[in-house]
Amino acid sequence: RFSGPAQGSSYHITAQLPEGVRYEQVEQVIAGRLEDIDRSLSLYRPDSEISRFNDLPAQTEMEVSKEFIDVLAIAREVYRDSGGVFEPTIKPLIDLWGFGPKLSKLQGFSQLPDEKEVAAARKALAFPDVFNKGHKVSKSSALSLSFDGVAQGYTVDVLKEALDRLHIQNYMIEVGGELATKGVSPRKTPWRIGVEMPETEQLSEKVFSALLLT
């Protein structure tokens, strides 16, 4: 079992290691891939690629990693398929409501934003203004990206590929509620995933339903 903090949440991995694959080897691979993604996509790191892109002046190019380009492509696909409901340049609204890395006057929901503040933040929503040529990205307006809606799912896919390359046949990967499974559980049965009971006031540890993944 492997676990730890990741992307403002946590990760948990259970895997049956084949002969010749050491625990420390898998632990190092997992840590390395999580660091790659964090270095590229974390809004909590001022030195990350996404933070530097958000600070980048319009009409200026910067070169980014494969991870950034991969998630940008996913974000474009979801933006298109949702008719723009999924909006990756929503960071100004995230910050306004106090969900971003910077503290705001709304922290704790003691004060709601007024209509003028919301309207001003909405003016910065402009995902079509993000461009890339290969691994070089730019923007034509002063916008700020947040890939939080797709980054954790992407992280699960990346970790899945890493375990597959190690020829691990049985595993469960969970990052912030996003998950993937392969093979069978340690009980030699299909992976059984519990879905928590939704609560309006607080997080619940009660199980609403359990899904058998086959």
Side-chain angles (χ1 to χ4, degrees), residues 104-123:
S104 79
K105 63 182 180 181
L106 303 172
Q107 208 76 21
F109 303 100
S110 60
Q111 181 180 352
L112 298 180
D114 60 40
E115 293 182 3
K116 290 183 179 179
E117 289 175 312
V118 172
R122 283 182 175 274
K123 288 182 179 179

Side-chain angles (χ1 to χ4, degrees), residues 98-171:
F99 290 109
K102 296 181 180 179
L103 294 177
S104 79
K105 63 182 180 181
L106 303 172
Q107 208 76 21
F109 303 100
S110 60
Q111 181 180 352
L112 298 180
D114 60 40
E115 293 182 3
K116 290 183 179 179
E117 289 175 312
V118 172
R122 283 182 175 274
K123 288 182 179 179
L125 305 184
F127 189 49
D129 290 352
V130 178
F131 306 94
N132 75 286
K133 295 179 181 178
H135 283 227
K136 291 185 177 181
V137 293
S138 63
K139 54 189 177 183
S140 59
S141 62
L143 53 83
S144 296
L145 286 171
S146 171
F147 289 140
D148 289 352
V150 293
Q152 289 180 342
Y154 172 76
T155 301
V156 169
D157 290 341
V158 168
L159 294 176
K160 183 178 184 298
E161 291 174 2
L163 297 190
D164 286 343
R165 284 195 296 270
L166 292 170
H167 306 292
I168 298 173
Q169 299 300 314
N170 301 301
Y171 57 72

Side-chain angles (χ1 to χ4, degrees), residues 25 36 38 147 167 179 184:
Q25 177 186 4
D36 290 340
D38 202 49
F147 289 140
H167 306 292
L179 62 89
V184 295

